[in-house]
Amino acid sequence: MRLHVADHPLVAHKLTVLRNKDTSSPTFRKLVDELVTLLAYEATREVRTAPLDIQTPVAPFTGVKIAEPLPLVVPILRAGLGMLDGMTRLMPTAEVGFLGMQRDEETLDVVTYANRLPDDLTGRQCFLIDPMLATGGTLVAAINYLFERGARDVTAVCLLAAPEGLKVVEEAVGDRVDVKIVVAAVDDHLNEKAYIVPGLGDAGDRLYGVV
């Protein structure tokens, strides 16, 4: 497992506003979108390309295009939806799958309640998006879900991570396949309710409200 923390003043600034409990939902959604675009730039650094011959106004030129099979962006519902536009803005040709997972607040076990993914992900670069990497259980379950379908190149993009969650993912994944995690920051710890501290609260509730 590889970890990349996006150390950039704009990332730190936007994340600070997101952390503020007084930031409204519309502003929170806008900033998440902007922040994910910055994280996506780092997350897609190793996206595979293929040569493409074109004609400029001056001369022939061999450039590149996103290689096939196309990358797959997979938001983990529901909070991951708030990150989708930021990812696809940089990779408009990427395909999108959906994975519905939630954590049982009593047992902290991960329950999968929906999926919309290709049966065969062999050769696909997959990008999992979920705002918070807290206990690590949801991300491990999602990564395993993709592994079962043949994926061997998975990048997870999260706004925040806790050290405990990163350790869980690293122990679960090991060196079996290529897994990269891109985050805006690694926070201090998890509290007794498995919330990231200092964190930013429940990302889904702050994106969409309590329903």
Side-chain angles (χ1 to χ4, degrees):
M1 186 194 86
R2 295 178 290 150
L3 173 66
H4 178 83
V5 181
D7 183 15
H8 192 286
L10 289 179
V11 170
H13 166 72
K14 294 177 188 299
L15 184 55
T16 298
V17 181
L18 286 176
R19 292 184 190 275
N20 191 332
K21 67 180 182 62
D22 295 324
T23 297
S24 67
S25 285
T27 301
F28 192 91
R29 284 194 295 270
K30 184 175 185 298
L31 285 172
V32 166
D33 180 71
E34 293 174 358
L35 182 53
V36 171
T37 300
L38 296 175
L39 295 179
Y41 181 80
E42 298 295 338
T44 57
R45 187 175 293 275
E46 297 172 358
V47 70
R48 290 192 290 267
T49 60
L52 177 65
D53 294 326
I54 63 169
Q55 179 74 39
T56 79
V58 179
F61 176 76
T62 300
V64 299
K65 64 177 180 177
I66 303 298
E68 295 185 356
L70 294 173
L72 181 70
V73 177
V74 183
I76 298 178
L77 305 177
R78 69 175 167 146
L81 284 177
M83 303 171 66
L84 180 58
D85 286 347
M87 283 294 299
T88 55
R89 184 175 295 112
L90 284 191
M91 291 195 302
T93 59
E95 296 182 344
V96 179
F98 297 92
L99 193 54
M101 291 182 161
Q102 64 186 20
R103 186 176 65 184
D104 187 298
E105 296 301 329
E106 296 295 328
T107 66
L108 302 184
D109 291 335
V110 177
V111 178
T112 302
Y113 62 87
N115 88 83
R116 184 70 174 175
L117 296 171
D119 291 332
D120 186 5
L121 296 176
T122 303
R124 301 288 291 267
Q125 287 182 295
C126 299
F127 295 85
L128 283 168
I129 51 177
D130 194 20
M132 314 297 280
L133 199 178
T135 65
T138 298
L139 187 57
V140 168
I143 291 171
N144 285 333
Y145 214 86
L146 299 183
F147 287 175
E148 292 169 2
R149 284 155 178 75
R152 292 296 180 268
D153 185 339
V154 178
T155 297
V157 181
C158 305
L159 303 182
L160 290 179
E164 296 93 331
L166 289 171
K167 182 179 180 181
V168 166
V169 176
E170 185 170 25
E171 290 177 349
V173 172
D175 295 324
R176 288 186 295 157
V177 289
D178 187 14
V179 172
K180 181 180 180 181
I181 298 177
V182 177
V183 299
V186 177
D187 274 10
D188 189 64
H189 67 281
L190 294 178
N191 66 14
E192 66 280 358
K193 295 183 178 180
Y195 277 82
I196 298 176
V197 179
L200 50 75
D202 188 302
D205 288 350
R206 296 195 67 187
L207 279 163
Y208 305 117
V210 181
V211 294

